[in-house]
Amino acid sequence: MAHCIVPEAEEILDKKYTVLDKGFIRLVDYMGGDARIVQSARVSYGDGTKTVREDAALIDYLLRHQHTSPFEQVVLTFHIKMPIFVARQWVRHRTARMNEISGRYSIMTDDCYIPAPQDIAMQSSDNKQGRAEQPVDSQTADSIRSRMEHDQQQIYRSYRTLVDEGIAREISRINLPLSLYTEIYWQIDLHNLFHFLKLRLDSHAQREIRAYAQVLLEITRKVAPLSVSSFENYIQNGVLFSGEEMKALREMLQGKDSPLTGKKQERLQAKLTHSIQL
């Protein structure tokens, strides 16, 4: 099979999936799918295995044993519109190819992100980089959203005034807010996409980028459903124990007290609790 066509992926090419209030993701192109992973692993020009069950078992084996190179044979290209503060987190993943709209050449639109009322919360008391789980009351949320919108509009008007006066676009854009939406083309192979999704679907990731990661996961499921199923089973919903933790677990199963103490025991307990919740 020289070229892999995935009918489910063909159906969603160029379809916009809305994310947040004004953002979107669309699949622009893809190369390969589950069949390409199987072919690559078998180093074969034929169909490799003959049934979906055999394909799924092979893909499971590859992912479970971290034989990741066959997954690099599958490549996806996305067109994504996201707030700049989300994009700044996105570019931390340097294993992809990206091109972003340039405010030096283009006049930026006035699309800015305003969080939904239920997404506005106080600073977390035990997480320095996150918000509390409980949102603020509706009156406070409405007030904050109104203030955000007012500031965004004022800054954008100032930006357009500078542009209209002939000031260079690369200068005029300097004060634009992090809430402003930007657009990128993002191309990544499936192995590195799974690493991105593992981190950005985690509950500790910022809520806004988690929303994008969830849509990416569902789009990727159209391209490589067997691989995504394995990813969810072994990576997203799996728990990794250290050698020291495995030794402690064996002793606990034998009815002995855990040899771990303090923070190490707390981490093990947290992993066990997470495993049960999964």
Side-chain angles (χ1 to χ4, degrees):
M1 186 186 299
H3 181 57
C4 288
I5 297 293
V6 183
E8 293 80 1
E10 293 290 318
E11 292 177 1
I12 65 167
L13 281 176
D14 212 32
K15 175 184 176 181
K16 284 187 178 181
Y17 288 78
T18 301
V19 191
L20 302 183
D21 56 349
K22 304 178 186 74
F24 64 75
I25 301 177
R26 65 186 184 95
L27 180 65
V28 175
D29 200 2
Y30 70 97
M31 181 179 73
D34 289 326
R36 176 65 73 234
I37 296 168
V38 171
Q39 291 166 2
S40 175
R42 299 287 188 190
V43 195
S44 168
Y45 293 103
D47 291 335
T49 50
K50 299 298 182 182
T51 69
V52 172
R53 177 178 295 180
E54 288 176 319
D55 288 352
L58 176 56
I59 289 171
D60 265 356
Y61 177 87
L62 294 171
L63 206 62
R64 187 170 67 252
H65 292 278
Q66 299 183 42
H67 297 311
T68 57
S69 57
F71 296 91
E72 296 174 9
Q73 297 288 326
V74 180
V75 179
L76 299 92
T77 303
F78 301 96
H79 177 197
I80 307 168
K81 181 178 179 180
M82 68 183 83
I84 290 175
F85 73 87
V86 173
R88 296 293 75 83
Q89 297 176 29
W90 209 287
V91 298
R92 297 285 297 170
H93 301 268
R94 298 180 294 276
T95 52
R97 292 149 296 282
M98 189 182 88
N99 197 46
E100 183 178 8
I101 187 173
S102 173
R104 298 183 67 194
Y105 297 100
S106 304
I107 296 178
M108 305 301 289
T109 69
D110 61 349
D111 286 343
C112 289
Y113 169 65
I114 297 178
Q118 65 270 20
D119 290 332
I120 298 176
M122 304 298 286
Q123 179 66 38
S124 172
S125 59
D126 58 0
N127 180 0
K128 294 182 179 180
Q129 64 177 3
R131 72 196 79 175
E133 289 296 323
Q134 183 67 31
V136 298
D137 62 86
S138 59
Q139 184 175 355
T140 302
D142 290 343
S143 174
I144 291 172
R145 283 166 49 85
S146 179
R147 285 155 55 189
M148 284 182 169
E149 184 175 15
H150 174 269
D151 291 346
Q152 291 167 356
Q153 292 175 348
Q154 186 176 24
I155 292 171
Y156 188 79
R157 283 195 299 268
S158 177
Y159 160 74
R160 283 309 304 257
T161 297
L162 292 174
V163 170
D164 293 342
E165 290 175 352
I167 302 300
R169 293 171 185 173
E170 66 179 19
I171 300 297
S172 301
R173 67 177 179 165
I174 288 175
N175 279 356
L176 287 173
L178 288 174
S179 58
L180 189 77
Y181 273 88
T182 185
E183 295 186 35
I184 66 172
Y185 262 55
W186 192 60
Q187 185 183 77
I188 189 167
D189 67 67
L190 189 59
H191 164 54
N192 285 298
L193 178 55
F194 281 162
H195 180 66
F196 174 95
L197 291 172
K198 178 182 185 298
L199 296 176
R200 298 308 181 178
L201 286 169
D202 188 88
S203 60
H204 294 92
Q206 185 166 347
R207 189 170 301 169
E208 284 77 10
I209 200 168
R210 290 206 314 265
Y212 281 90
Q214 189 60 51
V215 174
L216 281 175
L217 179 67
E218 295 312 313
I219 292 175
T220 305
R221 196 188 307 278
K222 299 290 187 181
V223 178
L226 299 180
S227 298
V228 168
S229 178
S230 292
F231 162 76
E232 290 176 320
N233 189 28
Y234 294 109
I235 299 178
Q236 183 186 6
N237 297 324
V239 179
L240 182 65
F241 294 99
S242 68
E244 188 177 39
E245 290 168 338
M246 288 300 298
K247 181 180 178 181
L249 286 172
R250 283 193 291 269
E251 294 195 14
M252 291 166 65
L253 287 172
Q254 293 171 5
K256 301 177 182 178
D257 293 335
S258 171
L260 302 180
T261 58
K263 291 292 184 181
K264 290 185 177 181
Q265 180 60 27
E266 290 178 11
R267 283 195 293 269
L268 176 58
Q269 189 60 49
K271 287 184 178 181
L272 292 173
T273 300
H274 180 63
S275 301
I276 294 171
Q277 291 173 344
L278 290 174

